[in-house]
Amino acid sequence: MNFAGARLAEAGGGGIVRLHDARTGRLLSKFEAHREEINEVKFAPRGLLLLTASYDSTVKLWEPGPPVPAGTAGAPVGELHAQGDLTKRDFQELGV
């Protein structure tokens, strides 16, 4: 859930991320973030950016923005190759 408590991120098989309205559960957007299954999804500490980590050994930083039609999203605003759980250091490396 993001800092404001307004959005909930869900991810998993197929490398797909889904953003929901945290209050109503309504799907706001859905996009392909990775080539393989996503094993971690977290909002950055301020809640404005979203990090995803995948079994494809990448961590990507996204700027979710306003709700967009399902299946659309811009390119990630940052990317790094990592292994293991996301840490505060991962956020710092991406400039968050």
Side-chain angles (χ1 to χ4, degrees):
M1 189 173 308
N2 75 344
F3 179 73
R7 291 190 183 170
L8 179 66
E10 168 194 8
I16 304 295
V17 171
R18 292 172 189 81
L19 295 175
H20 300 271
D21 180 298
R23 190 174 42 81
T24 66
R26 183 175 67 92
L27 180 66
L28 300 173
S29 62
K30 171 181 159 184
F31 59 93
E32 185 175 348
H34 293 272
R35 293 184 312 256
E36 295 185 30
E37 182 177 348
I38 297 170
N39 58 355
E40 194 83 37
V41 60
K42 291 184 179 181
F43 280 96
R46 293 187 195 118
L48 302 176
L49 301 171
L50 182 73
L51 271 94
T52 58
S54 168
Y55 288 113
D56 65 11
S57 298
T58 61
V59 175
K60 296 182 181 182
L61 181 66
W62 302 88
E63 204 168 28
V68 296
T72 61
V77 295
E79 183 173 335
L80 60 89
H81 292 273
Q83 293 182 9
D85 292 335
L86 292 176
T87 65
K88 193 172 187 175
R89 184 176 178 172
D90 293 322
F91 287 98
Q92 291 168 340
E93 281 189 48
L94 288 167
V96 179

